Amino acid sequence: MTAKNDMSMRVQTLPGLREQVAERLRMAIATGRFPAGARLIERELCEMMGVSRTSLREALRELQADGLITLQPNRGLSVSVVSEKTARSIYEVRATLEGLAARLFARSATEEQIKALHESVDHLAQVYDNFSAEAFIAAKTRFYDILLEGAGNEVAAEMLRRIHTRVSQLRVVSLSSEERARQSIRELRDFVSALEDRDEQRAFDICVAHVQAAAKAAMKTISTRED
Amino acid sequence: MTAKNDMSMRVQTLPGLREQVAERLRMAIATGRFPAGARLIERELCEMMGVSRTSLREALRELQADGLITLQPNRGLSVSVVSEKTARSIYEVRATLEGLAARLFARSATEEQIKALHESVDHLAQVYDNFSAEAFIAAKTRFYDILLEGAGNEVAAEMLRRIHTRVSQLRVVSLSSEERARQSIRELRDFVSALEDRDEQRAFDICVAHVQAAAKAAMKTISTRED
DNA sequence: TACCGTATGTTGTATGTCAAAAAACAAGAG
DNA sequence: CTCTTGTTTTTTGACATACAACATACGGTA
């Protein structure tokens, strides 16, 4: 074996500028820093992030494909404002795909993955205490990454990751209610316990119920918002 | 009422150049004109389609988000080659989401939509006779558009449309088998009849079975391809 | 043959430019 | 004062070009 084929020293493939921009924009929307309906002006974003219009526009196309921002031709972009109907659609899809992931995880995850998932819920519970939107999203992302990795369906994973950003956006307001937060953690623990038992059906049921509960909480804040 | 508010004369909002490019590329991949694994060189594509690199690259980002093309940093793009595992994932997700759409359609589609769906299957059956990849894809797209519209979940619709392109890509080879084509039409007729009865569960079951059958056919050609 | 350096091709990013569309604004007619 | 019309400004859509970073191919040399 020559040194050339020794991958261990390979320098980490740094994310391209475009991806960084896309990621920062995603985060800005997920945390509510760019609120729903806000207009996004290319020139301003360029200055704000210190990149060229070329790179910025390519990044914007990604967010657009995710449904995170809306383009009105010749008028401009704005952060998508999620109607009640769309929100319901989002949660329907999320429940469906997350249910699939739950089944697959229960069926084929390794013991290590189950353990990792358990720990990530512990971590999530801690984050709830001294709260910050960023930390919360990071913790939840970790939980999902483990779940989706264990499920072993990369296509479903990709779709759920996208939806997840939109859900975060909705949750910014909705989950600040302490009640739902506690309950949510309980549901996740229950979920993990079903997975530890490899109980596919129970994991599925809990997962779907969990999403539906989250949907209910979110829908409440949305409908009040629209008054 | 002033003329200003009379929408009937509104000129049709023409699709931007970028979208046209994206659409043509999608089609080229779906029909196998750009086969899986083919390298895509930006300059060549620019010349081929007569657009600037700027526009082209933005279109490419869309296809990339759809998973249709794969980017290796600093190396270039190529048409995604679908592994057996990924193909399975695609069909799993498709079955899940299409099952959801079937349920929703059965639940809430209008009578007109059901009728339109029935007719689109008739049309699809005709297309099978004097076959062409383009005509087939167009007919199938029409069927899906009606189904997804009737289901009334725009988020699921968007995801299924994306997956659909990837499925077309797989099917290019797989569905040329006359057998499967005939059977497929029979399944669709059965599906529509369940919807006409508003039989949610039966529609769901047929839908999932249909996708699984399609998956089986596709997987066969994939595994032979990989020999 | 194996190695090394150079030439070439390709992507990633940045600039500058221009037309077309929309919005904001100003001016004039009723 | 209000409505309409004309003008300016802003913003997007698209293009051409440039150049650095990286990767591959090539060709010469040991």
Side-chain angles (χ1 to χ4, degrees):
Chain A
M1 145 134 154
T2 65
K4 177 177 161 190
N5 293 328
D6 181 1
M7 294 295 166
S8 65
M9 295 196 65
R10 198 168 197 42
V11 90
Q12 184 166 331
T13 173
L14 51 147
L17 189 51
R18 179 181 64 247
E19 301 174 38
Q20 291 179 54
V21 171
E23 193 48 40
R24 281 179 58 185
L25 288 175
R26 253 186 274 271
M27 197 51 97
I29 292 174
T31 58
R33 184 150 161 268
F34 291 166
R39 266 201 92 186
L40 300 175
I41 284 137
E42 295 183 357
R43 184 181 45 76
E44 289 180 4
L45 295 178
C46 287
E47 291 169 6
M48 186 181 308
M49 328 219 358
V51 298
S52 74
R53 237 179 114 203
T54 317
S55 306
L56 177 79
R57 282 176 63 96
E58 288 187 26
L60 289 174
R61 294 288 90 74
E62 281 185 37
L63 299 224
Q64 198 186 335
D66 290 358
L68 234 48
I69 59 182
T70 301
L71 171 64
Q72 290 171 293
N74 288 318
R75 278 191 190 210
L77 292 156
S78 49
V79 179
S80 300
V81 37
V82 181
S83 69
E84 192 169 339
K85 185 183 169 191
T86 302
R88 202 170 10 245
S89 296
I90 288 175
Y91 280 103
E92 258 171 13
V93 170
R94 185 184 154 198
T96 304
L97 288 178
E98 228 167 279
L100 172 65
R103 268 193 212 283
L104 294 175
F105 189 99
R107 201 179 298 164
S108 58
T110 67
E111 293 298 322
E112 290 76 40
Q113 286 167 332
I114 293 179
K115 197 169 155 228
L117 198 68
H118 191 124
E119 286 166 1
S120 79
V121 174
D122 291 341
H123 179 246
L124 197 53
Q126 288 178 1
V127 171
Y128 270 120
D129 292 335
N130 56 352
F131 192 87
S132 95
E134 282 78 7
F136 172 71
I137 289 180
K140 196 91 190 189
T141 299
R142 192 164 116 193
F143 173 82
Y144 268 102
D145 282 345
I146 297 166
L147 178 69
L148 297 176
E149 160 124 17
N153 182 320
E154 199 45 56
V155 178
E158 196 56 42
M159 291 186 167
L160 276 170
R161 287 208 187 88
R162 288 185 189 169
I163 278 214
H164 193 54
T165 309
R166 303 186 76 176
V167 170
S168 295
Q169 187 194 7
L170 290 175
R171 195 164 36 197
V172 166
V173 192
S174 93
L175 197 84
S176 26
S177 79
E178 191 74 5
E179 297 303 321
R180 174 73 199 127
R182 299 287 166 206
Q183 177 60 23
S184 182
I185 289 284
R186 271 193 294 276
E187 288 166 8
L188 287 182
R189 291 208 188 281
D190 209 20
F191 178 58
V192 169
S193 116
L195 291 172
E196 280 165 345
D197 296 346
R198 300 276 186 191
D199 188 335
E200 200 173 312
Q201 188 60 42
R202 196 172 131 238
F204 176 85
D205 291 338
I206 293 172
C207 184
V208 170
H210 174 70
V211 174
Q212 279 170 351
K216 203 170 160 189
M219 297 308 291
K220 189 149 45 171
T221 62
I222 285 181
S223 61
T224 56
R225 181 192 71 186
E226 282 178 351
D227 285 342
Chain B
M1 148 131 150
T2 63
K4 177 176 157 191
N5 293 328
D6 181 0
M7 292 296 166
S8 65
M9 296 195 66
R10 195 175 248 312
V11 85
Q12 184 168 331
T13 172
L14 52 145
L17 187 52
R18 181 182 61 245
E19 301 175 39
Q20 290 179 54
V21 171
E23 192 49 39
R24 282 178 58 185
L25 288 175
R26 252 188 274 270
M27 198 51 99
I29 293 174
T31 60
R33 183 149 163 269
F34 291 166
R39 266 202 90 187
L40 300 176
I41 284 137
E42 295 183 357
R43 184 181 47 74
E44 290 179 4
L45 294 178
C46 287
E47 290 168 5
M48 186 181 307
M49 327 223 352
V51 297
S52 74
R53 237 182 112 199
T54 317
S55 305
L56 178 79
R57 281 178 62 96
E58 288 186 27
L60 289 174
R61 293 290 89 76
E62 282 184 37
L63 300 223
Q64 197 185 336
D66 290 358
L68 235 46
I69 60 181
T70 302
L71 171 64
Q72 289 170 291
N74 287 320
R75 278 177 180 230
L77 292 156
S78 49
V79 180
S80 299
V81 39
V82 182
S83 69
E84 191 168 339
K85 184 182 168 191
T86 301
R88 202 170 10 245
S89 296
I90 289 175
Y91 281 103
E92 258 170 13
V93 170
R94 184 184 156 199
T96 304
L97 287 179
E98 229 168 278
L100 172 65
R103 268 193 213 282
L104 294 176
F105 189 99
R107 200 178 299 166
S108 58
T110 66
E111 292 299 322
E112 290 75 40
Q113 286 167 331
I114 293 179
K115 197 169 154 226
L117 197 70
H118 191 125
E119 286 165 1
S120 80
V121 175
D122 291 342
H123 179 245
L124 196 55
Q126 288 179 1
V127 171
Y128 270 120
D129 293 334
N130 56 352
F131 191 86
S132 95
E134 282 79 5
F136 173 71
I137 288 180
K140 196 92 190 186
T141 299
R142 193 164 114 192
F143 173 82
Y144 268 102
D145 283 344
I146 297 166
L147 179 69
L148 296 177
E149 159 123 17
N153 182 321
E154 198 46 55
V155 178
E158 196 55 42
M159 292 188 168
L160 276 170
R161 287 207 188 90
R162 288 184 191 172
I163 278 214
H164 194 53
T165 309
R166 303 186 76 174
V167 170
S168 295
Q169 186 195 8
L170 290 175
R171 194 164 40 196
V172 166
V173 192
S174 92
L175 197 83
S176 28
S177 79
E178 191 75 3
E179 298 303 321
R180 174 73 199 127
R182 300 287 166 205
Q183 177 59 24
S184 181
I185 289 284
R186 271 194 293 276
E187 289 166 8
L188 287 183
R189 291 208 189 282
D190 209 21
F191 178 57
V192 169
S193 116
L195 291 173
E196 280 164 343
D197 297 346
R198 301 277 186 188
D199 189 335
E200 198 172 312
Q201 188 60 42
R202 196 172 130 237
F204 176 84
D205 291 339
I206 293 172
C207 183
V208 170
H210 174 70
V211 174
Q212 279 170 351
K216 204 171 160 188
M219 297 308 292
K220 188 149 45 171
T221 63
I222 285 180
S223 60
T224 56
R225 181 192 72 186
E226 282 179 352
D227 285 343

